[in-house]
Amino acid sequence: MTRHNPFPTSALGSYAAVSGLLSPACHALWEPAVSLSARDLALIAALALGPPLSTWAR
C-alpha cells in the first residue's frame, strides 16, 4: 500500500465549508424554481419514511 503525503485537515474542512456555503447560493441562482403539490410532498415523505419503517418492521 502506498502512503501519501500528509494532507492538512484544515484544508479539507475549508473546502467542505466553502462548497457547503456555495451550493445553496448556486442552487438559488441557476436552478429553476418548482412548486410542489400536496401529493408531491406526500410522495417525498413516503420515500423518506419507507426505508426506516421497513427496517423497523423486521
Side-chain angles (χ1 to χ4, degrees), residues 17-30:
V18 169
S19 63
L21 292 172
L22 282 177
S23 61
C26 293
H27 171 68
L29 287 173
W30 292 305

Side-chain angles (χ1 to χ4, degrees), residues 20-45:
L21 292 172
L22 282 177
S23 61
C26 293
H27 171 68
L29 287 173
W30 292 305
E31 291 185 16
V34 297
S35 57
L36 298 175
S37 67
R39 180 177 183 273
D40 294 334
L41 293 174
L43 289 172
I44 291 170

